[in-house]
Each structure stands twice: as C-alpha cells, then as structure tokens.
Amino acid sequence: MHPILLSLVTYLPLGGALAIFMMRGTSEAIETASRWVALWTSLLVFALSVVIWAEFDPRVPGFQFVQQADWAASFGVSYHTGVDGISLLFVLLSTFLTPLAVIGGWKLVTTRVRDYMVALLLLETTLVGLFSALDLVLFYVFYEATLIPGSLMIGIWGGPKRVWASMQFFLFTFGGSLFMLLALLAMWTMTGTTDIPVLMHANFAPAMQCWLLLGFILAFGVKLPLFPLHAWLPDAYTEAPTPTTALLSGVLSKAGAYGLLRFGVLMFPDAARLFAPYVLTLGVIAVIYAAIIALAQTDMKRLIAYSSFSHMGVIAVGLFTLTPEGIDGAIFQMLSHGVIITALFFCVAAVSWRAETRSIDAFSGVAHKMPVLATLGMLFVMANIGLPGTGAFVGEWLVMVGAIHVSFWIAFLAGSSMILGAVYMLVLYRRVMLGAPGRGVVAMLRDLTGPELAVLVPCALVTLWMGIHPTSFLRVFDPAVVNAVSAPAAQAALAPVHLAFR
C-alpha cells in the first residue's frame, strides 16, 4: 500500500484547479481547455481511487493508507488521513460522480466556464479530504471548505432564485456546523487531542455524550437533512445547475450521514441509544412528509429534490437502528442513492434543457421522441422506487431488516418509502414520457447525445451492479461496521435499544 495514493486523490483536483486558473489565451480557448483539463484530472483521480479500492484489504481492522504529520502538535492537532471500509466507498463515490458532473456541464454551463470548473475541482478536493480526515480539526476544515465552491456554484450559475438559494445553503450549513465546533472544543478540552481514532476510544461521561451527540446531530442533520432542518434543500437543489445539484445530492448530503455515523452512532453509543427513538421518528416523518410534498410538485427537478429528502429519511432510520444490518443498509443506500439521484437529475436536465421548461404539464409522450432516454429513465425510476435487481432495493431491504429488530412500526413506516416512491415516480414518468406525443416543445425534442449517454450509462451500469452483486460493496464496509458495533462498550450500550420500542 502506498499512503501517497490517498494524498494524490485528495490534492490532484486542487492541482487541476490551479492549472485551469493560471491559463491564458482567448476566452474560447480557455473555456475549451478548462473543460478538458477538468475532465482528465477528474478521470485520473477516479482511476487512482479505484487503485486504492483494489489494494484495500477489508480483513485488516482499522484505517489503511494512513498519513500523519505534525500540524499543531502542542495542541494535539495533526494532519492525519486514512480510510477504512466505510470512508473508502464515499471517496470512490465522490471521484466517480465528479467526472460525470464535468461531462454533464459541458453544454449546460456556458458562462464563466473556467471559474465553474475550478469550483468543481475544489469541491472534489474538499469532499475527498472530508471523508479521509482522521483528525477532527482537519475534518472540520474540509467540511466548512465545501461551503465555498458549493454556494458559489449555486449563486453564480443557478436559476432565477439562485442568490436566495445560495444564502440559505450557506447559512443553514454554517450555522449548523457551529454546534460541531462547540462539540469539537469540548472534546479537545477533555482529552487534549482531536485525533479521531483516539477519540473513538475515549470514555466520555453519559451526560457529556448526550451534549456532544446533540451538537453533531444539529450540525450533520442540516446537511443530511433531517426533518425539520431541510428548509434550504428544495431551493438549493432546484436553483443549482444540474451538475452542482448532482454533487450536492449525490455526495454532499452523504457527508451529513457519514458524520452522523462516524461521530454519532460509533463514537457515542450510549447517547445514540437515548437519542434513537427521536431520530427514528424524525426519519419516518421525513420519508412520509417529503413523499407527499413530492406528489404535489409541478416542477420535475423540485419533485426529484423532495424524493432525495424522502430517501435520506430512510438512511437516518438505518443509522439509528443501531444494528449491523441497519447501518450496513444505510451505507449501501447512501451509495446507491448517490448514483441514482444523480442520474435522475441529469434525465430531467436532458428534457428541460431542450424544452427550456421543467413544468410537468408541458410534456406528454416524450418517449416517442426520446426512446433511449425513456429506457434509461425507466431504469432509474424503478431503481429509485427500490425494484429488486437495483442497488436501492438492497439498501432499503437491509434498513428494514435492521429496523424490524427495533420496532415493527418503524420498519413498516420506513418501508413505505417504496410504496410512496412508486406513486410519485410512476405518476411523473407516465405524465412526461407516456401518452400521445405532445405538440409544441415535445415536437422539437431529439434523443440523447454522446456526452449525455456518457453520464447516464455508467450510472445505469453501477445501479445494476449494486443490485445484482451487492457483495462487491458490502464486503468492503461490513467488517468495519460489525467491528464497531460489536465492540464491548457498544454492545453494552445497544442491548437495551431492542426493548425500548417493544
């Protein structure tokens, strides 16, 4: 294993961003070169992350590809990075979706292209750094740094309400992360270190665990988002350009779920047991509430945004079942949802970019004009519902297996995401794709181009791969989850959970 590989994956996008920023020449030449440099940089980073995946040994406990250097040693702060089975696949998800976002933005982003590609690569560096950080201060720095490119991409290249959406996204996330900063300072005061592996084994008093977990829930609950901390989501997802929406919903929201798992469930098992009934309830509310709101939408992109919110409720339920099956299901659902929701947003963009409207009422019979999109769209719609043979089914099934150990009603209500999802997704598909060919905008539609297929086909293949051969992914993170949940302290904390809901 070469620890430098992880550093290359983290900072190569930053190098690509600097190369783009320093380009000189005519505006047209810079735009073309910016796209190609961003694409080849992101593809190289993805290839290196696949090498890390291939060399990673899930049987070895703890973190691998570790790098550690003094940063502020006298304060117990170091530059410490590495990956375990959980964080590795989120690094892979980030590096997989970034080149798709570059290709997807080839025609969609036409103004200030160089700046956009710089922001996109900066966001990739912050995401990879966030998932691989093993020092809490380093994690906080990367977590906050995602706000800069994220909010700029919404505020500069977004839709008519982009400034309001960008401000909401920034203020909600920044406000929430202040609670994480307070928790970080409290942990540092008590232990004298911010090293995550050390903090994982620190014995915090039960009352202090509760206060610390509350801080992390408020911080990561905004990013996830948990109900009722979701007010920023519909506008941010709808107003952002599609490649940005893909990264926000596909990866950045998973940073919230990853944080809840790493710094909530696994670090504070006693407090997690006490908070579980409340978080499970909020997760179930999100599943049902967001699905009902989605059904009432007339904007295709906004409907998919609420669909994403509903599925993140399922992930919250899986995490706080505090069982290996539930946590495995939540992680698997995060990965599959990241791919599926990205594909759905790009499917919407393929139609709305041509027709210059996202109104569902403006379309009918699009399948007659765009049969390839209709075929791929049906696959992603079914995957979003949780059809067997797709990745989402595996994740939702494991979450329900974990939830049934806690409460039949939690499992039943969380599982209703499949039924409710079928209602709003099939209604959307029927109204847009099926029926008699519409006149006006529909008559002018043409089927998918090569770049659009280059985005959607990889998503389709990964979705089917995760559904048909889930062991490829489960074997990577399941040992880490089982080891963490089966630790003596965690076992003692989690045992009473099964009685709390009976």
Side-chain angles (χ1 to χ4, degrees):
M1 293 182 188
H2 303 286
I4 196 173
L5 270 177
L6 187 57
S7 293
L8 287 173
V9 170
T10 306
Y11 295 110
L12 264 181
L14 181 60
L18 289 173
I20 293 172
F21 190 73
M22 295 172 65
M23 285 178 180
R24 297 293 180 267
T26 63
S27 137
E28 187 177 343
I30 289 175
E31 287 184 3
T32 303
S34 297
R35 291 187 176 104
W36 283 109
V37 169
L39 177 59
W40 283 111
T41 301
S42 58
L43 286 173
L44 176 59
V45 170
F46 174 61
L48 290 173
S49 66
V50 171
V51 172
I52 293 178
W53 186 21
E55 292 191 4
F56 183 83
D57 187 354
R59 296 166 296 180
V60 176
F63 295 91
Q64 300 175 41
F65 300 93
V66 174
Q67 278 194 314
Q68 188 166 14
D70 288 341
W71 191 9
S74 58
F75 294 97
V77 179
S78 64
Y79 178 86
H80 191 188
T81 61
V83 291
D84 62 356
I86 299 170
S87 54
L88 169 62
L89 290 181
F90 289 108
V91 170
L92 202 64
L93 179 67
S94 305
T95 61
F96 172 69
L97 293 184
T98 302
L100 300 186
V102 173
I103 298 169
W106 211 273
K107 298 292 185 185
L108 296 175
V109 178
T110 55
T111 59
R112 300 181 65 175
V113 174
R114 174 168 70 175
D115 297 340
Y116 186 83
M117 294 302 167
V118 167
L120 198 64
L121 291 176
L122 286 177
L123 183 59
E124 182 177 22
T125 282
T126 58
L127 287 169
V128 174
L130 180 157
F131 290 123
S132 60
L134 293 182
D135 184 278
L136 201 47
V137 170
L138 185 64
F139 176 89
Y140 182 80
V141 168
F142 279 121
Y143 185 84
E144 291 292 84
T146 60
L147 284 177
I148 300 169
S151 57
L152 286 177
M153 286 194 286
I154 298 171
I156 297 174
W157 292 276
K161 298 179 181 177
R162 59 185 180 272
V163 175
W164 170 244
S166 177
M167 284 181 60
Q168 274 191 310
F169 169 72
F170 186 92
L171 293 175
F172 264 82
T173 307
F174 187 72
S177 61
L178 289 178
F179 293 99
M180 174 168 54
L181 180 61
L182 291 174
L184 186 161
L185 291 172
M187 294 166 74
W188 174 78
T189 301
M190 288 182 285
T191 62
T193 182
T194 55
D195 195 67
I196 291 172
V198 174
L199 293 173
M200 293 290 289
H201 297 95
N203 293 317
F204 297 103
M208 181 52 68
Q209 280 197 33
C210 290
W211 285 110
L212 293 172
L213 180 58
L214 179 61
F216 283 118
I217 286 177
L218 290 172
F220 298 123
V222 171
K223 190 79 86 176
L224 188 65
L226 268 179
F227 179 90
L229 304 174
H230 66 283
W232 63 271
L233 180 142
D235 286 335
Y237 283 14
T238 305
E239 297 301 318
T242 300
T244 304
T245 307
L247 290 176
L248 289 179
S249 60
V251 187
L252 204 52
S253 65
K254 310 305 177 289
Y258 172 80
L260 273 181
L261 174 61
R262 179 75 75 198
F263 306 111
V265 174
L266 300 183
M267 191 175 283
F268 309 117
D270 292 314
R273 175 181 58 81
L274 296 175
F275 277 74
Y278 307 105
V279 178
L280 290 172
T281 302
L282 293 177
V284 167
I285 291 173
V287 168
I288 299 171
Y289 165 80
I292 293 171
I293 300 297
L295 189 58
Q297 299 305 306
T298 57
D299 182 312
M300 291 187 288
K301 196 174 183 183
R302 206 169 181 87
L303 187 151
I304 302 300
Y306 277 106
S307 166
S308 177
F309 177 33
S310 179
H311 283 83
M312 294 310 288
V314 176
I315 291 167
V317 169
L319 292 177
F320 276 83
T321 60
L322 308 180
T323 62
E325 299 88 354
I327 295 172
D328 275 350
I331 296 171
F332 202 94
Q333 178 73 349
M334 285 186 240
L335 299 169
S336 65
H337 175 266
V339 175
I340 293 165
I341 207 70
T342 295
L344 285 171
F345 276 121
F346 277 116
C347 285
V348 168
V351 176
S352 60
W353 180 71
R354 289 165 169 79
E356 298 183 351
T357 178
R358 296 195 303 259
S359 175
I360 297 172
D361 297 329
F363 298 97
S364 176
V366 171
H368 295 277
K369 292 290 185 179
M370 305 179 74
V372 177
L373 174 66
T375 303
L376 289 169
M378 175 56 81
L379 169 63
F380 297 126
V381 164
M382 291 299 168
N384 200 43
I385 292 168
L387 186 76
T390 63
F393 171 76
V394 179
E396 295 195 9
W397 179 75
L398 284 171
V399 168
M400 291 175 68
V401 170
I404 202 73
H405 290 305
V406 176
S407 164
F408 166 80
W409 290 108
I410 292 292
F412 174 76
L413 293 172
S416 68
S417 65
M418 294 185 179
I419 300 168
L420 296 171
V423 174
Y424 61 75
M425 290 306 299
L426 291 177
V427 166
L428 171 67
Y429 191 87
R430 177 185 62 80
R431 292 178 65 183
V432 174
M433 292 293 178
L434 305 181
R439 297 179 180 178
V441 294
V442 176
M444 298 182 291
L445 296 179
R446 296 293 180 269
D447 215 346
L448 297 177
T449 61
E452 290 168 330
L453 287 171
V455 172
L456 294 177
V457 170
C459 290
L461 294 176
V462 171
T463 298
L464 292 172
W465 180 15
M466 294 186 76
I468 295 169
H469 198 257
T471 308
S472 305
F473 303 88
L474 285 169
R475 72 175 186 84
V476 177
F477 60 79
D478 180 61
V481 171
V482 171
N483 287 339
V485 175
S486 301
Q491 277 189 325
L494 302 184
V497 172
H498 306 278
L499 301 176
F501 283 89
R502 293 296 184 189

